[in-house]
Amino acid sequence: MTTIQRRLPVTVVTGFLGAGKTTLLRRLLLDSGQRLAVVVNEFGEVGIDGALIRSCGFCPDEELDTRLIELANGCLCCTVQDDFLPTMERLLERADQLDGIVVETSGLALPEPLVAAFGWPQIRSRTRVHAVVTVVDGEALAAGHVVANPEALEAQRQADPSLDHSDAIDDLFDEQLEASDLVLISRADLLRPEQLETVAALLQARCRPGLPVLPMAAGHVDADLLLGANDEAALPRHGRSHGRDAATHEHHEDHDHDHSHVAIESVAISLRGRWTQVQLETQLRQLIAEHRLIRAKGWLAMPDKQRLLQIQAVGPRLNCWYEGQPTQLTHASEPTTSNLGELQLVLLGFQLDPSRMEQQLSIPADSAGTVPRS
């Protein structure tokens, strides 16, 4: 019997020097409960970011050399073939012992070449890009700058002889935002509410329409928004249900209110019907755009397929692939119509309308034969 390899989810964390990437990564490693491997790309002989991650205790000492890889010999987006691909192949040798991979890029990296590298034949069938997350410095943006210390960033640029892009800092910032699926505003707890509102509006104007922009304090953010493992645990188990949850973040102790708090609603949807993969992906893209969803996850069991169609989205990035056995079905004991599939979804966003979203996912019977379960 042939063993189907699981595709490891990969999260790329990008942002300028000092934006808060390493603080975020330390919190993810400590709080997520997942077995993550980390690739850290920085400049110079002394790996400060790598040392901070190494010392946080995210894994046993004997696993550090295989779960933390530091690349300090240039910008990964310029050395993909020489550095990145061998690194990924090394990590994938022990993929069965990992839940996911996080890549922290240097402050000058362009995410797009890294994302494209996951399409290389050596790794494309064994990984999937779950999300590209850009961390921006909220304090710097509130003061009118895209980076708090432009001199240090420029020194970093000059120190890398392999760097083959010499765009202005503002252009690099726009390219990072353009490649993003989720933008996090660091140090949001240090901003007044009106400052945070101004910064968020500025970023949304520079990002793709509908791209989620969320505040973050001290690196705290719901790991489920950034990582792609163990999502089946969050799926609805007993028919159609709608739940509303709040994801909260710690706030700075100098304030008597928390304006880094984000009330994220969660809606669980369970439907039966007939969807092709193309139909469902089209509907989901429309749903994500209209409702400005932060996250979507779930699966579709199709009557003519032996494996589940897995569904993952962070912001506008939608991934669908076949993996897992239909034994996950939550209604296996109920009578079913053989030509209907089962769709299970959890959708995260703000001010969501469950009835509207169910309606958008249900195709009328006279056009595609879909019969939503009541």
Side-chain angles (χ1 to χ4, degrees):
M1 180 175 174
T2 303
T3 301
I4 305 295
Q5 290 181 319
R6 182 172 60 96
R7 299 176 67 190
L8 275 180
V10 178
T11 300
V12 178
V13 179
T14 188
F16 283 142
L17 180 70
K21 302 188 300 294
T22 304
T23 300
L24 168 65
L25 184 51
R26 281 167 58 96
R27 290 261 52 93
L28 282 178
L29 291 171
L30 292 173
D31 297 344
S32 68
Q34 298 184 20
R35 289 178 55 85
L36 301 171
V38 187
V39 179
V40 179
N41 180 211
E42 55 185 329
F43 295 87
E45 296 179 359
V46 180
I48 296 175
D49 290 355
L52 288 171
I53 293 169
R54 184 178 293 271
S55 65
C56 77
F58 78 98
C59 72
D61 290 344
E62 61 270 19
E63 296 182 15
L64 270 173
D65 290 339
T66 55
R67 287 179 58 185
L68 173 61
I69 297 179
E70 300 173 69
L71 299 176
N73 56 340
C75 177
L76 267 183
C77 66
C78 305
T79 60
V80 167
Q81 187 166 357
D82 293 336
D83 294 319
F84 177 69
L85 292 174
T87 295
M88 291 305 303
E89 289 176 324
R90 173 182 164 188
L91 287 177
L92 290 172
E93 290 176 356
R94 58 193 308 272
D96 60 336
Q97 301 173 45
L98 298 173
D99 295 317
I101 299 171
V102 181
V103 180
E104 181 192 342
T105 70
S106 78
L108 291 170
L110 303 177
E112 198 53 46
L114 288 181
V115 173
F118 285 97
W120 283 54
Q122 300 97 311
I123 57 176
R124 68 184 178 193
S125 64
R126 304 186 62 193
T127 62
R128 59 181 174 87
V129 178
H130 176 68
V132 176
V133 180
T134 296
V135 182
V136 302
D137 187 332
E139 276 192 306
L141 282 174
H145 310 290
V146 298
V147 59
N149 191 340
E151 293 80 12
L153 189 68
E154 184 58 30
Q156 187 184 61
R157 187 207 300 265
Q158 297 300 325
D160 181 20
S162 72
L163 202 64
D164 61 9
H165 53 82
S166 56
D167 298 358
I169 288 178
D170 272 1
D171 293 336
L172 288 174
F173 186 59
D174 284 333
E175 291 186 59
Q176 289 179 350
L177 293 177
E178 184 179 347
S180 298
D181 305 306
L182 176 66
V183 175
L184 298 177
I185 304 172
S186 69
R187 305 180 178 93
D189 54 324
L190 304 180
L191 301 179
R192 298 188 303 274
E194 64 273 15
Q195 287 179 306
L196 184 56
E197 185 177 341
T198 298
V199 167
L202 182 152
L203 288 168
Q204 287 167 343
R206 298 178 76 154
C207 294
R208 288 173 288 165
L211 194 77
V213 176
L214 304 179
M216 176 179 68
H220 288 278
V221 67
D222 186 350
D224 185 51
L225 299 179
L226 275 61
L227 305 174
N230 304 327
D231 281 326
E232 66 273 8
L235 291 177
R237 312 304 290 179
H238 301 291
R240 180 184 304 157
S241 63
H242 306 302
R244 295 179 183 269
D245 304 310
T248 59
H249 305 280
E250 291 183 6
H251 60 87
H252 195 269
E253 62 184 3
D254 292 339
H255 293 261
D256 58 3
H257 57 283
D258 180 8
H259 43 257
S260 66
H261 172 92
V262 182
I264 299 175
E265 299 179 353
S266 173
V267 172
I269 291 178
S270 176
L271 294 171
R272 287 223 182 107
R274 297 189 194 97
W275 294 268
T276 66
Q277 181 176 347
V278 172
Q279 285 172 328
L280 183 59
E281 287 182 356
T282 299
Q283 289 174 292
L284 287 170
R285 291 186 195 282
Q286 293 171 346
L287 198 75
I288 289 167
E290 178 178 329
H291 298 272
R292 301 175 67 91
L293 295 181
I294 300 171
R295 187 85 159 80
K297 54 191 175 182
W299 44 257
L300 171 66
M302 304 168 73
D304 57 342
K305 300 289 185 182
Q306 293 185 347
R307 298 194 173 276
L308 298 171
L309 179 66
Q310 302 290 338
I311 301 161
Q312 292 282 334
V314 175
R317 182 182 298 275
L318 175 64
N319 284 309
C320 296
W321 73 99
Y322 290 95
E323 181 182 297
Q325 299 291 341
T327 51
Q328 290 184 26
L329 288 177
T330 59
H331 307 284
S333 61
E334 299 179 11
T336 62
T337 304
S338 61
N339 64 345
L340 294 182
E342 179 176 356
L343 176 65
Q344 296 281 336
L345 285 174
V346 173
L347 308 171
L348 282 73
F350 306 99
Q351 298 179 326
L352 300 180
D353 183 343
S355 298
R356 168 68 175 160
M357 290 190 290
E358 281 199 5
Q359 182 182 27
Q360 289 175 288
L361 287 169
S362 301
I363 306 174
D366 57 0
S367 63
T370 297
V371 181
R373 186 180 61 230
S374 59

